[in-house]
Amino acid sequence: MTPNRNADRPRIDAHEKVLGRALYAADQPFPGLLHAMTVPATIAKGRILSIDTAAALQVPGVVRVFTHADFSQIRTTPAARGAYGQPGKGYQPMTAPQVRHRGEPVALVVAETLEAVVEGAEAVTVRYAEDPFSARMDDDLASPEPEAVGQLASGDAEAAFAAAVHTIDVEYRHPQQHHNPIELISTTAAFEDGTLRIYEGTQSAAAFAGGLAGMMGMEPQALRGVSPYTGGGFGQKNGVQEQSVLVASAALLLRRPIKLVMPRGQLFHTASYRPQSRHRVRLAADGDGRLLAGIYETVQQNSRYDGFASDHGATPPRMYGYGAWRGSERIVRVDTQTPGHQRAPHEHPASHATECALDELAGALGMDPVALRLANDTQRDPITGKPFSSRHLADCLRRGAARFGWDRWTNQPGALVAGNGDRIGLGVACGSYKAAMTPSVTTLRLSAGGQCRIATSGHEMGQGIRSVIAAELIDVLGVDPDKLDIRIGDTGHAPQHLTAGSWGAGSAAPAARAAALKLREELSQLTGAALSDEPVPVQLARTRRPYLEVSVDTVPLGKDRQAIEQLRRGMPVTTGPEYPDFLAFSWIAHFAEVHVEPSTGRVRVRRVVSVADCGRVMNRRTAESQVRGGVVWGIGAALREAAEIDPRFGGVLNNDLAEYVVPVNADIGAIDVDFIDEPDTRLNLSGVKGLGEVAMVGAAAAIVNAVHNATGRRIRHLPIRIEDLL
């Protein structure tokens, strides 16, 4: 069956969420539930001399105070702590008296009530021996020589740059930023049916459970990971958190259910974050605007222990038809917790630097920035020479320019003025993100009464993956949405793959479609005739069978059956963007209009037009929501968000939503979203590519370019503050 275009349907779980019936991990009720709270380290580096728990144990309701003496048996399994399952050095707090970063847990208090556990945690006294530390990549005690971690090259970029007439050489800086999901990070551990179940809003229930089991010396099947709703992951919830094994171990020792919800202020020092980075961009072009060379060098902050790869240079060379390219990545180690993936983790900072640099090149050439991008459109990857599975970026630019009214743009900064005197700026930037896929194990059961139950790999992070699965079942089987039971995020129902990297829809949709098509095929064999256009449940009822059940293993392009076995063992198995015959990406073009108040320098983003090429749009409503959310993230990155690091004590000073400034409703103007909506069936059965991450890529750059168009000031760091424009 050819995939149909999908209607603008409400989210499958919309009513459950609005009515408060959607139970997140921290909402799970258990009789006899204990509450836990960590005591954070108040130094950035050193060792613990003593921990006085006497006062805490006197607090009514406090059951026990755990220290490193209780958890020294925890194994620091590298694969469990590394981001995306990548091996790290495996540091786990509270397994020894050492302190590696400010805010890490040094004690765990368990009590009968939340009030008692908070009071008990505040009563614990810790003495330390402090060591010198660095909290920022520019500090004197940061690693003196950045470590080279990767490079990507095609042709002789240095020679092409040296010979070119039109060149630019600029450096852009990106700050440390933090996720701040509304659903805080939490862990609940409870015994059910002889199994230790760990409820956590995670993006990787299987690897999470397997990692915990390994750290605790348990067999993997003795522990079940459950993530009913992730509650906003954005990359922060893709690994074992610092508190996870502590709560699970405490529940095992006390034989009672325990819940810990990590306070937001502590999350700034225990959870992953987007690291600070520097980006030097050199571009060269001929007189017609044809790109001759791109040279891109990055330096990224990292911790002293677990590795977090720097991958800024993977996407920019695929954006346009560069004649030659050279990219290099380096990292600087400091004394903080390990950074990690945050929505469009490297692609967003990279697009900020390279798309703004491209705008600067357009200015040097006297070209329209849209025309420069169109002149360098390509259908082949400049690095490998392979074609793209589909690429409609030029269509995104043309359609976006028409919807936005780009013909108002002028290369003279400050030429457009609003009626109230505000200077108007127009900016454009593009983005891309890999189209990746993962294996899935899916069981689909359809009853004659119309009830349809599917269990498959995937996690609901708010992106609408349940709605994606539902769209395929409705399209292929004609089932009633109200009779769907979609089971994901639970290792007890199906092997769970990490849901991240914008591969959720691109993996779950073809898995659901393959299962639905197999069910149709088996029903057709039962009836001995091809099925009609009637809903499949109606045709099943005529066979007088109560139900029909099928199981399907889906293996993405470029992988074999071994991928299914790795999935069953909880190991991340991804493929893309490079496939045997092509490369696959999602593409987007953003157009931004800003108004800058001339006397105060206040910037308002009045309007954004975004046009995306993400293959087949699975659900128009959730897709538009994803893009609008990505644009809001771009507004925050461009004008609001930055961690303020205290060099004296190694902490984040603005570690709450009162001072870590994010956009609010008053900051958001009109966001107009459109899609090319061309299925990419070369990539998968459903013709779908990811959207959640590409939505943000380029959004901040479009705003920065618009600010330059309004003011004539080229700000090469984020966020742009009022003082930058005065």
Side-chain angles (χ1 to χ4, degrees), residues 154-369:
S154 176
D156 192 341
E158 294 285 359
F161 184 85
V165 176
H166 301 283
T167 64
I168 61 162
D169 184 345
V170 293
E171 181 176 277
Y172 281 80
R173 299 176 71 95
H174 198 282
Q176 179 174 319
Q177 295 175 329
H178 292 260
H179 300 67
N180 283 299
I182 296 302
E183 178 73 6
L184 295 170
I185 285 174
S186 70
T187 304
T188 302
F191 287 94
E192 296 179 282
D193 303 322
T195 301
L196 182 61
R197 294 193 189 185
I198 310 296
Y199 291 83
E200 186 165 312
T202 178
Q203 298 170 232
S204 185
F208 162 76
L212 279 185
M215 296 173 79
M216 297 168 67
M218 300 171 62
E219 292 297 322
Q221 62 270 20
L223 203 153
R224 179 172 171 180
V226 185
S227 179
Y229 292 90
T230 302
F234 312 116
Q236 190 177 61
K237 299 177 180 178
N238 64 14
V240 178
Q241 304 289 336
E242 288 192 350
Q243 84 288 340
S244 302
V245 71
L246 305 179
V247 174
S249 297
L252 197 62
L253 290 168
L254 295 178
R255 309 299 293 186
R256 287 184 63 180
I258 298 178
K259 176 173 73 174
L260 185 150
V261 178
M262 188 69 79
R264 190 174 300 278
Q266 291 189 31
L267 286 177
F268 275 78
H269 301 105
T270 60
S272 62
Y273 57 94
R274 194 192 303 277
Q276 184 183 0
S277 56
R278 296 194 300 265
H279 307 254
R280 184 186 179 191
V281 185
R282 287 180 279 169
L283 300 178
D286 63 17
D288 295 326
R290 185 170 60 91
L291 290 169
L292 303 175
I295 304 172
Y296 182 37
E297 299 163 320
T298 70
V299 181
Q300 174 191 286
Q301 174 181 311
N302 214 324
S303 74
R304 301 279 187 189
Y305 50 97
D306 288 355
F308 174 59
S310 179
D311 202 23
H312 295 96
T315 301
R318 276 69 191 248
M319 286 298 303
Y320 307 105
Y322 288 95
W325 180 270
R326 182 179 67 79
S328 64
E329 314 266 355
R330 296 183 297 165
I331 61 172
V332 173
R333 295 193 178 275
V334 297
D335 298 299
T336 66
Q337 78 271 29
T338 302
H341 298 84
Q342 183 172 344
R343 195 172 192 176
H346 296 103
E347 293 78 6
H348 154 64
S351 71
H352 162 236
T354 57
E355 288 291 310
C356 289
L358 200 68
D359 209 62
E360 295 199 52
L361 180 63
L365 290 165
M367 285 187 70
D368 181 316

